[in-house]
């Protein structure tokens, strides 16, 4: 959904627009882009540099092949929710709007509906590489109108990381395979008793981490129950479900028994980066519920951790009581999309196509820790051999779930971290947090579009 612009946001737009003149690389200058300049906006963080590397490589290749064209790179250095906010500010003006956008799949429908993106079906029809993408990957870029707005960069899954050395010291098995939520909590309790200086279990809970809290945390629990956010049979949003309450009560247990991080640390916007680049490598966390991309931080670069293969174990996240499929995961992914204000749409698409050649897709999948969506990359031995974790996280695909692909999901999802944070900080009971979520949900979609769980 397009966010209303407040007075503070107006000031932010002015400041951010001024910043654009200096943060782009490659010669666009100023705010007004021309038809011979392609402005490319994407996310970059301390722990996520793979897109920056891909965009720099693609810029060099594209400019060499297209004389007279200039690519202006605009890396937005921010965590996920802050990235979405800054991108929305850029899209708020035709003068600052990007031609090519690093776009989360769950934002495609809302941003297309808001007029930030333009369909690319005509270009895909003439692109001989489109046949390399499976149907699931093609679905990822669809808008509500059935048109395609983005090309998938890859997908991901989520599971449990555990430190085998800390487990051994606590008398826990090196081949740990929990079969229920209680098994996860019991392992965390055992770690706490064995080593009080270690964070037993990390699950994201803060509003500052936004969708990371919703997807890596809460939804990994909810979709392991018999309930979901949206009933796909009736296409109605669910209120008052037992599974929703049980997931919040899991958070309450972690908080009350101090099995997780201190809230003062966990509420920081940079907590996710700290977990992946500092605490896990330094043995400061025993168990972490997180995404498949983490090992990509450890293979090389400034966050290289040569010992990670010997130190870290992986386990599928169990369902609440081991029922259903026994395990659960969540999957998402990102795309390259074309901005609605692109002055030279063909050039913008040509840049996207160059970024997604077999060679570039292979490089990105390896360095970003992505599950491949191009058939030729997925079958490549070079891809399979690059990262020993690929096989495990790919094995979670049969158990995975996807967020509701609706334009209002992002607005609804923003209320999940409000609920989890209120519990994690002791400001609300699970019942009160669920009631607040339900009230916000009804306010967004209307009571006629909800049903009792």
């Amino acid at each position: 959904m397009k966010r209303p612009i407040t007075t503070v946001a107006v000031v932010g737009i002015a400041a951010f627009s001024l910043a654009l003149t200096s943060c782009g690389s490659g010669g666009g200058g100023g705010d007004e882009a021309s038809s011979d300049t392609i402005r490319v906006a994407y996310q970059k963080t301390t722990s996520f540099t793979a897109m920056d590397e891909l965009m720099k490589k693609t810029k060099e290749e594209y400019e060499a092949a297209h004389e007279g064209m200039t690519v202006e790179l605009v890396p937005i250095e921010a965590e996920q929710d802050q990235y979405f906010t800054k991108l929305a500010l850029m899209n708020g003006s035709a003068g600052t709007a990007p031609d090519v956008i690093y776009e989360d799949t769950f934002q495609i429908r809302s941003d297309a509906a808001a007029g930030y993106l333009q369909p690319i079906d005509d270009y895909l029809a003439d692109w001989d590489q489109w046949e390399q993408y499976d149907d699931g990957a093609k679905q990822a870029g669809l808008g509500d109108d059935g048109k395609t707005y983005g090309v998938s960069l890859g997908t991901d899954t989520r599971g449990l990381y555990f430190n085998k050395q800390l487990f051994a010291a606590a008398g826990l098995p090196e081949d740990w395979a929990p079969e229920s939520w209680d098994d996860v909590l019991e392992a965390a309790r055992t770690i706490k008793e064995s080593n009080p200086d270690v964070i037993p279990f990390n699950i994201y809970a803060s509003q500052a981490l936004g969708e990371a809290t919703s997807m890596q945390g809460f939804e990994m629990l909810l979709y392991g129950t018999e309930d979901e956010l949206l009933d796909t049979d009736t296409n109605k949003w669910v209120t008052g479900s037992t599974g929703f309450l049980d997931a919040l009560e899991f958070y309450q247990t972690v908080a009350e028994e101090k099995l997780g991080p201190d809230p003062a640390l966990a509420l920081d916007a940079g907590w996710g980066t700290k977990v992946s680049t500092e605490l896990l490598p330094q043995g400061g966390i025993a168990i972490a519920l997180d995404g498949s991309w983490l090992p990509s931080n450890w293979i090389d670069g400034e966050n290289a951790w040569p010992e990670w293969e010997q130190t870290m174990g992986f386990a599928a996240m169990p369902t609440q009581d081991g029922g259903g499929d026994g395990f659960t995961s969540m999957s998402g992914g990102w795309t390259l999309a074309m901005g609605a204000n692109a002055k030279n749409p063909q050039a913008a698409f040509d840049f996207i196509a160059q970024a997604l050649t077999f060679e570039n897709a292979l490089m990105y999948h390896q360095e970003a820790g992505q599950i491949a969506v191009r058939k030729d990359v997925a079958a490549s031995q070079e891809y399979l051999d690059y990262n020993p974790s690929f096989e495990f996280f790919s094995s979670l695909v049969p158990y995975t779930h996807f967020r509701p692909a609706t334009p209002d999901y992002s607005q609804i999802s923003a209320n999940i971290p409000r609920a989890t944070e209120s519990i994690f900080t002791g400001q609300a009971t699970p019942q009160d947090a669920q009631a607040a979520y339900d009230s916000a949900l009804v306010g967004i979609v209307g009571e006629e579009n909800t049903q009792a769980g």
Side-chain angles (χ1 to χ4, degrees):
M1 298 292 288
K2 189 173 182 180
R3 294 186 177 94
I5 299 177
T6 63
T7 303
V8 174
V10 171
V11 175
I13 291 173
F16 190 63
S17 296
L18 287 173
L20 292 178
T21 64
S22 60
C23 70
S25 66
D31 286 345
E32 292 296 334
S34 63
S35 60
D36 60 0
T37 298
I38 304 169
R39 177 178 290 154
V40 183
Y42 57 93
Q43 184 189 23
K44 177 184 177 183
T45 69
T46 303
S47 61
F48 177 61
T49 59
M51 180 53 59
D52 188 49
E53 293 168 11
L54 175 61
M55 293 296 94
K56 287 177 178 177
K57 184 174 184 287
T58 306
K59 166 184 165 66
E60 182 179 343
E61 293 169 348
Y62 179 86
E63 290 179 345
H66 298 81
E67 187 176 354
M69 294 297 295
T70 299
V71 177
E72 178 190 355
L73 299 182
V74 187
I76 299 175
E77 300 195 28
E79 297 295 337
Q80 187 163 292
D81 268 32
Q82 291 76 17
Y83 171 72
F84 294 149
T85 299
K86 291 182 178 182
L87 194 58
L89 295 178
M90 289 185 72
N91 280 319
S93 166
T96 59
D99 300 292
V100 176
I101 304 170
Y102 176 63
E103 179 87 1
D104 196 327
T105 53
F106 95 93
Q107 294 278 67
I108 287 274
R109 293 183 181 236
S110 57
D111 282 355
Y116 293 156
L117 308 176
Q118 63 176 290
I120 57 175
D121 300 88
D122 290 346
Y123 304 99
L124 292 171
D126 295 328
W127 188 39
D128 62 1
Q129 299 298 296
W130 191 226
E131 65 185 22
Q132 290 291 344
Y133 291 79
D134 60 34
D135 289 342
K138 290 179 178 180
Q139 293 287 322
L142 294 181
D144 272 352
D145 55 7
K147 296 178 181 179
T148 304
Y149 289 87
V151 181
S152 178
L153 281 156
T155 189
D156 47 40
T157 55
R158 286 147 180 80
L160 293 163
Y161 291 79
F162 63 96
N163 187 305
K164 290 186 287 188
Q165 296 170 357
L166 293 175
F167 265 50
L172 292 167
E174 187 173 299
D175 59 351
W176 183 59
E179 297 180 355
S180 67
W181 291 0
D182 284 342
D183 287 351
V184 176
L185 292 172
E186 278 304 313
R189 293 177 182 121
T190 301
I191 291 290
K192 181 182 179 182
E193 185 175 346
S194 169
N195 191 338
D197 295 328
V198 167
I199 296 170
F201 176 59
N202 185 66
I203 181 171
Y204 296 120
S206 74
Q207 293 188 64
L209 287 174
E211 189 61 16
T213 294
S214 298
M215 194 171 182
Q216 269 105 268
F218 181 84
E219 289 173 24
M220 283 290 290
L221 295 169
L222 176 64
Y223 284 81
T225 72
E226 295 181 357
D227 294 306
E228 299 182 350
L229 291 173
L230 179 71
D231 187 317
T232 53
D233 293 329
T234 63
N235 205 35
K236 290 189 175 184
W237 295 89
V238 180
T239 61
S241 75
T242 301
F244 197 102
L245 183 62
D246 288 348
L248 292 179
E249 289 178 342
F250 182 96
Y251 272 92
Q252 183 182 47
T253 299
V254 172
E256 290 184 348
E257 296 188 25
K258 299 189 184 304
L259 300 176
D262 187 301
L265 299 174
L267 268 55
D268 186 88
W271 178 245
T273 296
K274 188 176 180 68
V275 166
S276 64
T277 63
E278 296 179 31
L279 291 169
L280 283 174
Q282 293 169 7
I285 293 176
I287 309 168
L289 182 56
D290 222 307
S292 54
W293 55 88
L294 260 60
S296 65
N297 299 319
W298 306 327
I299 291 175
D300 53 31
E302 63 179 290
N303 298 310
W305 177 24
E307 299 81 16
W308 75 271
E309 289 184 58
Q310 291 73 43
T311 305
M312 298 307 300
F314 307 112
M317 180 64 185
T319 55
Q320 183 176 13
D321 57 6
D325 292 330
F327 305 103
T328 188
S329 184
M330 296 295 299
S331 290
W334 293 71
T335 68
L336 285 179
M338 190 189 301
N341 292 294
K343 292 182 171 59
N344 189 336
Q346 183 64 60
F349 182 80
D350 289 344
F351 180 87
I352 292 173
Q354 182 62 47
L356 296 171
T357 62
F358 170 82
E359 292 78 10
N360 285 340
L362 173 63
M363 181 193 81
Y364 180 74
H365 281 75
Q366 291 173 326
E367 296 187 4
Q370 291 283 288
I371 294 173
V373 291
R374 277 185 63 123
K375 299 171 188 174
D376 49 1
V377 174
S380 165
Q381 197 60 45
E382 185 178 352
Y383 165 73
L384 295 172
D385 291 343
Y386 180 80
N387 185 331
S389 72
F390 283 164
E391 183 177 359
F392 168 76
F393 284 105
S394 294
S395 75
L396 301 182
V397 170
Y399 312 113
T400 205
H401 301 84
F402 293 85
R403 296 163 290 186
T406 64
D408 45 14
Y409 169 78
S410 58
Q411 191 178 358
I412 294 165
S413 173
N415 290 285
I416 293 174
R418 294 190 181 102
T420 56
E421 181 176 309
S422 69
I423 290 169
F424 212 68
T425 56
Q427 296 177 345
T429 65
Q431 291 78 8
D432 289 341
Q434 182 175 32
Y437 168 85
D438 288 346
S439 176
L441 175 64
V442 171
I444 294 167
V445 304
E447 191 164 0
E448 68 278 9
N449 292 311
T450 66
Q451 66 182 43

